[in-house]
Structures are given as structure tokens and as C-alpha cells.
Amino acid sequence: MNRISIKDLYREPDLFLNQTISVEGWVRTLRVSKNFGFIEINDGTFFNNLQIVFDENLNNFQEVAKLTLSSALHVEGTLVKSLGAKQLFELKASVIEIIGLSEPDYPLQKKRHSFEYLRTIAHLRPRTNTFSAVFRLRSTLAFAIHKFFQEKGFVYVHTPIITGSDCEGAGEMFRVSTLDYEQLPKNPQGQVDFGEDFFGKETNLTVSGQLAVETYSMAFKNVYTFGPTFRAENSNTARHAAEFWMIEPEMAFADLKDNMHLAEELLKYLIREMLENLPDEMAFFNSFIDKALSDRLVQVLNADFARITYTEAIQLLQKSGIKFEYPVAWGQDLHTEQERALTEQIFKKPVFVTDYPKEIKAFYMRLNDDGKTVAAMDLLVPGVGEIIGGSQREERLEILENRMSQLGLNHQDYWWYLDTRKYGGTPHAGFGLGFERAIMYLTGMTNIRDVISFPRTPKNAEF
Amino acid sequence: MNRISIKDLYREPDLFLNQTISVEGWVRTLRVSKNFGFIEINDGTFFNNLQIVFDENLNNFQEVAKLTLSSALHVEGTLVKSLGAKQLFELKASVIEIIGLSEPDYPLQKKRHSFEYLRTIAHLRPRTNTFSAVFRLRSTLAFAIHKFFQEKGFVYVHTPIITGSDCEGAGEMFRVSTLDYEQLPKNPQGQVDFGEDFFGKETNLTVSGQLAVETYSMAFKNVYTFGPTFRAENSNTARHAAEFWMIEPEMAFADLKDNMHLAEELLKYLIREMLENLPDEMAFFNSFIDKALSDRLVQVLNADFARITYTEAIQLLQKSGIKFEYPVAWGQDLHTEQERALTEQIFKKPVFVTDYPKEIKAFYMRLNDDGKTVAAMDLLVPGVGEIIGGSQREERLEILENRMSQLGLNHQDYWWYLDTRKYGGTPHAGFGLGFERAIMYLTGMTNIRDVISFPRTPKNAEF
């Protein structure tokens, strides 16, 4: 007998109509009358359920009538046109085998649950409509990102997770160690002796793969990383997680313009892929999560992103007449309220802001000829604010070393990074896209905890 | 002017012949006579170099003649048929702009370097032929793995890296912490108080995403993880790294047979993809790394993998007459020498060995009806031994709990894992493929340090 996935049925129902097939899945809903009943099962291959119709001819009718939610079934029957309005077809069951009977205290009974509650059962929540849609989108989006870069010939680099260096000289880090806390080895000065640790020195979890991937761009020209990164910031907000995934492309022989071009192309590609490949999920998000979502995404797809300098942005904000909570002044970083004003009110489309004051940006960004600003770029999008941050990198060894000295960075720690400037350095540029931020942007989900399978946040590493 | 990648030239040289084009890249070799010269440049987009021909008509001929290796160039000129035997075409340069002059002490001068030496300059080694081939293959292989699973509708799950639980109850782990080592907080009993740590409890780096991904297979049916995993084992061998990537698919409504089928399909798919998409790199590996490589891979591609039980394997080994260093006895795990004898001498093709004694396998593997063995499977391949390990999982709650009790595992720590058996549990199965092992297998590279961009091993977390 044909063992069919529910996805196959929805794709080409005509292939299977009036045929005997078998499916497997979990009970999502159950309605039973005296001598017949309906079960909706979901097999995880598709967003929608399959309706099963059964009646008292079933030899285990009594058992089936008492099925609990989320029980696992094997069903055989004939696919027929449905008389109901809700679906086009249904499966008239001749056999319903109960593979795994769910216990009656299944925590996802049929009622609306809050996202907060569902976080406490993160191992079960992908069985709900919302999280089924979120995590299928997460998977499809991850693949779309790889497709985008691979089609362009970018080489995927797995940069190290455990690192002996601190990329941006900023960001609180998690220490990685095998030392016994109850008996820490000490050096003669009485300090903890990291020479005894697994790697023979202090190591941390990476906050970014950028510096490592830059070295590979000097070999492969176009490269990207896509992996987990970590921040030990004690910020309990809806937008921060201690563990999240990041996409970081890097291009040699490229400047800030090439960088903006790539970022715009990537964002549009991802929107297009989601709308084309996950129409049911996107319709769900638009109906139940954020009613402005589709319009916003289609608008972005059709817009030419604006490009302004930071200095222009400050002037526009000052002249806008909009009241801000935080002061708008040259030299200050843009707050989210100001970023959103630029993209939502002033330009009404995505905006690249470039050439920020060097003091508020990282040491590796390329110094502009004015000596005051660096070739940085942030991409701001409606509904979110900053979604991508990048820059052209400082390829001139002397200027880079000066900047590091000003910031008190130890050149010795970056010997390999500096080597890329010594041996055939070229103009190069790249950016970072937080994967979870991208998912939130594409779904309308507002809490980062709801787009990560098992989120890690302060005081929380459950599961 | 047409800005062309070297890959484009090799793909469709006829498109560009006798045309004026520009390319960018790094000097790999340079030969200069009194009034003309040859430069081979590589731009990272393709394994092979492009030959540049120049003569004294170049206005910076003297400068170009003194170019150092790995200098970055922008070259304009006409693509012409080559008179040399080595290449089909070359670029007759009208302009050679030096974008980044490499310092003369560039560590990769033109001579053979040992892999050991190249590890000390891991940031530069992708500029060599060998590592250019290895890391392009790594990228292509990673993408092929995603393609394989996505085409089959498997959902990609990012399982957590930081974990509060120890998957297999085995494997030494790295601790993740933000506690200040110089001032560790203590509880009233004088022990370190992990309640004060970032996550409010002791946390480690994951050794496997399996338990987490099993919960997702109960929602999406077919899922996989592909991410970094960690082992704090102090083993300084050519096959062990502290940080490596792992692929772990998991299928609901599936048994050991389905599992073997998927593993065989995956391995063949990956070999086919590499042979088709990276012919130059594969030819290089076959010439310079392992002359038996192509034959071995093609043989695997055409073989029906053998399937035997562990008990049969022990009998075959005992009857084989082969002398082993380690004893062959029922109840002992197979040593690599024995695995290799099975696949290389006895079967001369890949072999699945199934149904191992429960004592030598993990707690979550499904107990067979004999009460002595579990539904485990290892895939052994010629030249390597075990490359994939997997099992059907124990879906019966009571048997699983008994097994955990026997092994002293605290059920409370696994409450969410046990829930998957309570609420619609189904037969399910999956396996793990070490990504670096797969790369070594496909390239013939023999040291895991040479297939990881910046490897982490005991006493080594450089870069």
C-alpha cells in the first residue's frame, strides 16, 4: 500500500483520489458521535492537517472514539472528496492502528495557550500551529541562506566556536573550561593558572566569526560563516538571547557599495523564498501574528533601499519635528526609536545608514578620508530598526595598527589578523545578520525566545 | 569592462576569448625574463589559476617584475588562446594594478610545506592547493548535506549548544560559566554555588543534539541537526578534535531498516555530489593525497551495502583466520582493526553491523526481543572503519525508564525526553555522522586538524 505524507496529498491530491493509501501522524483534534467520528491528524510534513473519517465498521471503533490528543496513529483508507467546506479531501478509514496512545494529561489540550506557557514546554510546542510554522520557516530560511551564498560561489567556513581571542574587544563572554572549580590550580602569584586548563590558556565562546572569516576571504574571495554565537549579557529583553545564530559574509576586492548591494539582494531573496515556498505558513503569520506582515514584506521586495550617511540621518532626524526620548546629536549612536523613525516615517522603506563616527564603531572598520567617520553600514527596516550591520574593513596596516593602539588592543593577540594586511591585503567588506532577528522580521514574532528551539537566557538553560 | 571570476573563465572560456576583461586575484607564481613575464593568479573562486602574460609595454613593468608572492592584483587585458601546453587560455595584460603588495617574508614561499608547519599558519593555508581543495570541499559538502535532507522534507533544527544536561551520560564536557574564578561564590556547605552562575545552574557544551532533536521528530516526523559538538577528551590523536560538527537526522515512524536505508542513501549522495561538482579538487586528492581514493569511492557508489548483526560479525571475524591485536569476543566492542577487516577484507564493501550487546551501547537504544542486544547500527567503510553510528530509539516508556535506572541516570533530569514517550511516542530512529570524518573519508586527508579551519585540540586554541 502507498505510504503517503500529508504534504504529498496537498501537493497533488488528484494522484491519490479514490485510492487506498496509508498515512501516519498525530491526533490534533477529535470529534465523535454515536457511530462515526472525525480525526484531524498532522504528520509534521505539512502545515495543514488531514481529516480522517471513521465509523462503527472500524473493528476498534470504541478505542478510537476515546483517543487522546497527540496519540500517534497509522491509518489506512480511501482518499475521497470531502463534503465539508473546510477541506477538499478526507481519508475514509478502514484501519486505524494506535501506535502510541498519549497520556490523558497531555499539556497541549485544545485551547489557546500563551507563548509564555508554551516556553515551559518547549519540547512540545512545535506540535502547535504557531511553532510548527515558526520552526519550519526557520529550517527553510536557513537553507535559503545557504542557497543564496552557494549559488553565488561563496565558500561556507565553519569558524571556531571556542576562541582564545575576543573579536570585537567588546561583548561579555562565556568562559569555556575543564578546570575543577573545587580545586582550581594556582600560579605562584596565587592567581588561577589557565596553563593547566584544557587548551593551556583562557578560552571563551565566540561572539563573532568575522575576524576568522576575513582570513578566509583572502583565499576564497567570497566567503560566509553561519553558526552559533554567544553573548553573556545579562539583558532580559525580548530581543536578546545568550545563544543565537549569525550569518557573516565577507568579500575581498569589495567596498561598502558592494556590501550594501549584497545585503539588499540577500534580504529580498529571503523574503521571496519564504513567500514562494511557505505560502501556508506566511498566510498564518499574517492572519494570527501580524496583520501588516505581508504588506510590509511585499513593500520591501519592491523598494529600492535608501542610502544615506549618518551625518545626513542626524540632520533629517533633527529637522523631522519628531519628538524622541533620546537626544539626536552627531557623535551619539542612533537609538531604535530614531532608526525606526528613519525607515518607517521619513523614508517609508529600508534605509542604509553609512559612515558613522569612528568612536561608536569597531576598530576594524575602514577610516574615511575625513578622519572622523568609518565606512560602516547599518540596514534599517520598518517594524524592527537595525537588522544588518557591516562595514568595509580597514585594509591599511598602519592605520589599523594605530587604531588598535588607541583602543589599547594588544597587537600580539591579533598577529594572524594583521597578517592578512601584510600579505596581499585587499579592500574587503562584510556584514552580520542575526538569524533570529531575521526570523522575527519575516514572521512578526516579537520575542526571540519564540524563534529558538530551546532558548538560553539569563537564569534559563532548561531542556 | 567585464569583471570576471576565474571560475567563469574555466566554465565558458569561449564566451570571453579575444575579449577585454578584468580579473582580480593573488599571485601564486611569477616568472620574469628581461622583457616579458608570466604570473599565475588565483582569485579563490576556482581551484585552478589563470596565467597572465605581460611584457615591457606595461608602464609599470619594473614594479610588476618584482612582485612578491600573494600580492593582490587587478589585471586588465585580452583573453587569448595559450600556446603553452599547461593551459588552454591566458590573459594578455594591458594593465596590472598592484592592490596589495605582499611583504617579502610571506611564509608560503614556493616549496613543499609539511602539513604540520601549515597548521601553525592556519590563517594562510587556505591559499595553498591542498587546503583550497579541502575547504572548498568542506563548503560544498555542507551544502550537499542540507540539500539532501531539505529535498526529502527534513526540517533543520538548531539544537542548543549550551546545555544543562549531558546527552549520553558519557563523554567529558566543557563547562560554560561566567563566574569569576578569583572569587567563586560558595554555598553554606562550602561548595561552588552555581545558582549564582549566568544560567542559575551548571551548564556545559553539548556533546550531541540527539535528545533535543528527538523531541522535534515527534512534531515534524523527519528532522536533522547539523551543528558544532564538543568533547573535552584529552586524546591527542589524528582523529579527535575538541570541537567538531555533527549531522544527526531523526525519523519518526521509522525503524532500523529505514535508518540504514537513509544512511546508505546519504553517503552515496555525498560521494556523487563531490565527484560531479568538484572534479578538479577530487582529481587533486586522488593524485596527491590518496591514489586509491577515486576507486574506493566509485566502488562504494556501486555497492549494495552489506547488513550483518554484531553476533554474525563476531563469528565471521573469529572464523576469518585474521590475526588481531585485540581479542574478538561476544560482548566486547569491535576495535577499528576488526571493523576494517570486516569492510576491507571480508566484505570488500561498506557493511552495516547491527544489534550490539546492550552493555556497550547507549541507554536510549531500543531493546531487542532477545533481551540482550539493542537495535543499534554502525556503518563501516573501507579505509576508515566506523563512519556512522545510529539506532532505533527505545520508545517504550517503561523499558526506557528501567534502563535509565540500571545505569543510575536521574529520571528528573530527562523529564522532557521522557515526555516524548508519554505523549504519542512512535518508533523512531536516527544516526550521527561526524562531519570531519566524512571530509577525511572523501578526501583521503588523514589528520582531523587538516580539515578544520582553526582546529581545537588539547593545549591548542590558537587564532
PDB file of all heavy atoms in Angstrom, chain A residues 358-375:
ATOM      1  N   LYS A 358      33.752  57.285  14.019  1.00  0.00           N
ATOM      2  CA  LYS A 358      34.593  56.125  14.337  1.00  0.00           C
ATOM      3  C   LYS A 358      34.489  55.737  15.805  1.00  0.00           C
ATOM      4  O   LYS A 358      34.636  54.576  16.165  1.00  0.00           O
ATOM      5  CB  LYS A 358      36.046  56.403  13.939  1.00  0.00           C
ATOM      6  CG  LYS A 358      36.746  57.490  14.739  1.00  0.00           C
ATOM      7  CD  LYS A 358      38.186  57.690  14.270  1.00  0.00           C
ATOM      8  CE  LYS A 358      38.846  58.805  15.066  1.00  0.00           C
ATOM      9  NZ  LYS A 358      40.086  59.284  14.484  1.00  0.00           N
ATOM     10  N   GLU A 359      34.200  56.720  16.668  1.00  0.00           N
ATOM     11  CA  GLU A 359      34.192  56.430  18.115  1.00  0.00           C
ATOM     12  C   GLU A 359      33.101  55.437  18.503  1.00  0.00           C
ATOM     13  O   GLU A 359      33.222  54.763  19.523  1.00  0.00           O
ATOM     14  CB  GLU A 359      33.996  57.720  18.927  1.00  0.00           C
ATOM     15  CG  GLU A 359      35.224  58.605  19.014  1.00  0.00           C
ATOM     16  CD  GLU A 359      35.514  59.370  17.724  1.00  0.00           C
ATOM     17  OE1 GLU A 359      34.597  59.439  16.859  1.00  0.00           O
ATOM     18  OE2 GLU A 359      36.640  59.853  17.561  1.00  0.00           O
ATOM     19  N   ILE A 360      32.017  55.375  17.735  1.00  0.00           N
ATOM     20  CA  ILE A 360      30.933  54.476  18.144  1.00  0.00           C
ATOM     21  C   ILE A 360      30.947  53.171  17.349  1.00  0.00           C
ATOM     22  O   ILE A 360      30.006  52.383  17.414  1.00  0.00           O
ATOM     23  CB  ILE A 360      29.545  55.158  18.028  1.00  0.00           C
ATOM     24  CG1 ILE A 360      29.278  55.616  16.587  1.00  0.00           C
ATOM     25  CG2 ILE A 360      29.451  56.330  18.983  1.00  0.00           C
ATOM     26  CD1 ILE A 360      27.871  56.183  16.371  1.00  0.00           C
ATOM     27  N   LYS A 361      32.037  52.930  16.589  1.00  0.00           N
ATOM     28  CA  LYS A 361      32.096  51.684  15.807  1.00  0.00           C
ATOM     29  C   LYS A 361      33.389  50.907  16.106  1.00  0.00           C
ATOM     30  O   LYS A 361      34.293  51.422  16.750  1.00  0.00           O
ATOM     31  CB  LYS A 361      31.996  52.013  14.314  1.00  0.00           C
ATOM     32  CG  LYS A 361      30.587  52.477  13.895  1.00  0.00           C
ATOM     33  CD  LYS A 361      29.563  51.348  13.969  1.00  0.00           C
ATOM     34  CE  LYS A 361      28.163  51.773  13.527  1.00  0.00           C
ATOM     35  NZ  LYS A 361      27.176  50.680  13.649  1.00  0.00           N
ATOM     36  N   ALA A 362      33.445  49.679  15.604  1.00  0.00           N
ATOM     37  CA  ALA A 362      34.532  48.764  15.965  1.00  0.00           C
ATOM     38  C   ALA A 362      35.863  49.153  15.301  1.00  0.00           C
ATOM     39  O   ALA A 362      35.888  49.850  14.291  1.00  0.00           O
ATOM     40  CB  ALA A 362      34.160  47.341  15.579  1.00  0.00           C
ATOM     41  N   PHE A 363      36.931  48.645  15.881  1.00  0.00           N
ATOM     42  CA  PHE A 363      38.289  49.061  15.481  1.00  0.00           C
ATOM     43  C   PHE A 363      38.644  48.683  14.049  1.00  0.00           C
ATOM     44  O   PHE A 363      39.506  49.290  13.429  1.00  0.00           O
ATOM     45  CB  PHE A 363      39.329  48.450  16.421  1.00  0.00           C
ATOM     46  CG  PHE A 363      39.594  46.976  16.185  1.00  0.00           C
ATOM     47  CD1 PHE A 363      40.600  46.558  15.318  1.00  0.00           C
ATOM     48  CD2 PHE A 363      38.845  46.002  16.828  1.00  0.00           C
ATOM     49  CE1 PHE A 363      40.842  45.208  15.091  1.00  0.00           C
ATOM     50  CE2 PHE A 363      39.084  44.652  16.616  1.00  0.00           C
ATOM     51  CZ  PHE A 363      40.075  44.250  15.740  1.00  0.00           C
ATOM     52  N   TYR A 364      37.975  47.630  13.507  1.00  0.00           N
ATOM     53  CA  TYR A 364      38.391  47.116  12.203  1.00  0.00           C
ATOM     54  C   TYR A 364      37.713  47.833  11.035  1.00  0.00           C
ATOM     55  O   TYR A 364      37.912  47.466   9.884  1.00  0.00           O
ATOM     56  CB  TYR A 364      38.103  45.620  12.117  1.00  0.00           C
ATOM     57  CG  TYR A 364      36.700  45.256  12.538  1.00  0.00           C
ATOM     58  CD1 TYR A 364      35.611  45.599  11.745  1.00  0.00           C
ATOM     59  CD2 TYR A 364      36.457  44.617  13.748  1.00  0.00           C
ATOM     60  CE1 TYR A 364      34.329  45.307  12.130  1.00  0.00           C
ATOM     61  CE2 TYR A 364      35.172  44.318  14.152  1.00  0.00           C
ATOM     62  CZ  TYR A 364      34.113  44.660  13.339  1.00  0.00           C
ATOM     63  OH  TYR A 364      32.840  44.386  13.732  1.00  0.00           O
ATOM     64  N   MET A 365      36.882  48.827  11.312  1.00  0.00           N
ATOM     65  CA  MET A 365      36.168  49.480  10.209  1.00  0.00           C
ATOM     66  C   MET A 365      37.073  50.516   9.539  1.00  0.00           C
ATOM     67  O   MET A 365      37.872  51.171  10.171  1.00  0.00           O
ATOM     68  CB  MET A 365      34.886  50.115  10.735  1.00  0.00           C
ATOM     69  CG  MET A 365      33.927  49.071  11.312  1.00  0.00           C
ATOM     70  SD  MET A 365      32.289  49.720  11.600  1.00  0.00           S
ATOM     71  CE  MET A 365      31.447  48.229  12.198  1.00  0.00           C
ATOM     72  N   ARG A 366      36.886  50.653   8.236  1.00  0.00           N
ATOM     73  CA  ARG A 366      37.829  51.458   7.446  1.00  0.00           C
ATOM     74  C   ARG A 366      37.620  52.951   7.680  1.00  0.00           C
ATOM     75  O   ARG A 366      36.523  53.483   7.524  1.00  0.00           O
ATOM     76  CB  ARG A 366      37.663  51.150   5.960  1.00  0.00           C
ATOM     77  CG  ARG A 366      38.788  51.711   5.109  1.00  0.00           C
ATOM     78  CD  ARG A 366      38.617  51.283   3.654  1.00  0.00           C
ATOM     79  NE  ARG A 366      39.834  51.502   2.885  1.00  0.00           N
ATOM     80  CZ  ARG A 366      40.177  52.666   2.353  1.00  0.00           C
ATOM     81  NH1 ARG A 366      39.422  53.729   2.532  1.00  0.00           N
ATOM     82  NH2 ARG A 366      41.297  52.767   1.656  1.00  0.00           N
ATOM     83  N   LEU A 367      38.703  53.645   8.007  1.00  0.00           N
ATOM     84  CA  LEU A 367      38.666  55.081   8.256  1.00  0.00           C
ATOM     85  C   LEU A 367      38.414  55.822   6.943  1.00  0.00           C
ATOM     86  O   LEU A 367      39.090  55.592   5.941  1.00  0.00           O
ATOM     87  CB  LEU A 367      39.995  55.528   8.863  1.00  0.00           C
ATOM     88  CG  LEU A 367      40.049  56.970   9.394  1.00  0.00           C
ATOM     89  CD1 LEU A 367      39.126  57.146  10.593  1.00  0.00           C
ATOM     90  CD2 LEU A 367      41.494  57.344   9.758  1.00  0.00           C
ATOM     91  N   ASN A 368      37.434  56.733   6.953  1.00  0.00           N
ATOM     92  CA  ASN A 368      37.182  57.544   5.765  1.00  0.00           C
ATOM     93  C   ASN A 368      38.197  58.684   5.670  1.00  0.00           C
ATOM     94  O   ASN A 368      38.900  58.979   6.637  1.00  0.00           O
ATOM     95  CB  ASN A 368      35.762  58.113   5.815  1.00  0.00           C
ATOM     96  CG  ASN A 368      34.712  57.038   5.567  1.00  0.00           C
ATOM     97  OD1 ASN A 368      34.941  56.117   4.777  1.00  0.00           O
ATOM     98  ND2 ASN A 368      33.569  57.146   6.231  1.00  0.00           N
ATOM     99  N   ASP A 369      38.227  59.334   4.512  1.00  0.00           N
ATOM    100  CA  ASP A 369      39.215  60.390   4.283  1.00  0.00           C
ATOM    101  C   ASP A 369      39.022  61.580   5.215  1.00  0.00           C
ATOM    102  O   ASP A 369      39.956  62.345   5.447  1.00  0.00           O
ATOM    103  CB  ASP A 369      39.152  60.856   2.819  1.00  0.00           C
ATOM    104  CG  ASP A 369      39.670  59.767   1.879  1.00  0.00           C
ATOM    105  OD1 ASP A 369      40.305  58.810   2.374  1.00  0.00           O
ATOM    106  OD2 ASP A 369      39.442  59.867   0.653  1.00  0.00           O
ATOM    107  N   ASP A 370      37.798  61.735   5.755  1.00  0.00           N
ATOM    108  CA  ASP A 370      37.570  62.865   6.668  1.00  0.00           C
ATOM    109  C   ASP A 370      38.244  62.657   8.030  1.00  0.00           C
ATOM    110  O   ASP A 370      38.289  63.577   8.851  1.00  0.00           O
ATOM    111  CB  ASP A 370      36.062  63.126   6.839  1.00  0.00           C
ATOM    112  CG  ASP A 370      35.336  61.935   7.472  1.00  0.00           C
ATOM    113  OD1 ASP A 370      35.989  61.020   8.038  1.00  0.00           O
ATOM    114  OD2 ASP A 370      34.091  61.895   7.407  1.00  0.00           O
ATOM    115  N   GLY A 371      38.762  61.452   8.256  1.00  0.00           N
ATOM    116  CA  GLY A 371      39.451  61.177   9.516  1.00  0.00           C
ATOM    117  C   GLY A 371      38.524  61.045  10.716  1.00  0.00           C
ATOM    118  O   GLY A 371      38.958  60.723  11.818  1.00  0.00           O
ATOM    119  N   LYS A 372      37.227  61.293  10.517  1.00  0.00           N
ATOM    120  CA  LYS A 372      36.277  61.274  11.634  1.00  0.00           C
ATOM    121  C   LYS A 372      35.301  60.100  11.569  1.00  0.00           C
ATOM    122  O   LYS A 372      34.791  59.653  12.588  1.00  0.00           O
ATOM    123  CB  LYS A 372      35.448  62.569  11.638  1.00  0.00           C
ATOM    124  CG  LYS A 372      36.238  63.824  11.981  1.00  0.00           C
ATOM    125  CD  LYS A 372      35.300  65.023  12.150  1.00  0.00           C
ATOM    126  CE  LYS A 372      34.511  65.295  10.874  1.00  0.00           C
ATOM    127  NZ  LYS A 372      33.721  66.537  10.935  1.00  0.00           N
ATOM    128  N   THR A 373      34.981  59.672  10.348  1.00  0.00           N
ATOM    129  CA  THR A 373      33.973  58.626  10.201  1.00  0.00           C
ATOM    130  C   THR A 373      34.607  57.364   9.617  1.00  0.00           C
ATOM    131  O   THR A 373      35.706  57.398   9.052  1.00  0.00           O
ATOM    132  CB  THR A 373      32.821  59.077   9.268  1.00  0.00           C
ATOM    133  OG1 THR A 373      33.363  59.376   7.992  1.00  0.00           O
ATOM    134  CG2 THR A 373      32.119  60.299   9.842  1.00  0.00           C
ATOM    135  N   VAL A 374      33.891  56.250   9.766  1.00  0.00           N
ATOM    136  CA  VAL A 374      34.349  54.984   9.194  1.00  0.00           C
ATOM    137  C   VAL A 374      33.306  54.442   8.230  1.00  0.00           C
ATOM    138  O   VAL A 374      32.117  54.797   8.307  1.00  0.00           O
ATOM    139  CB  VAL A 374      34.632  53.933  10.301  1.00  0.00           C
ATOM    140  CG1 VAL A 374      35.875  54.312  11.089  1.00  0.00           C
ATOM    141  CG2 VAL A 374      33.434  53.746  11.204  1.00  0.00           C
ATOM    142  N   ALA A 375      33.760  53.575   7.324  1.00  0.00           N
ATOM    143  CA  ALA A 375      32.899  53.040   6.269  1.00  0.00           C
ATOM    144  C   ALA A 375      32.009  51.923   6.812  1.00  0.00           C
ATOM    145  O   ALA A 375      32.078  50.778   6.390  1.00  0.00           O
ATOM    146  CB  ALA A 375      33.735  52.544   5.102  1.00  0.00           C
TER     147      ALA A 375
END
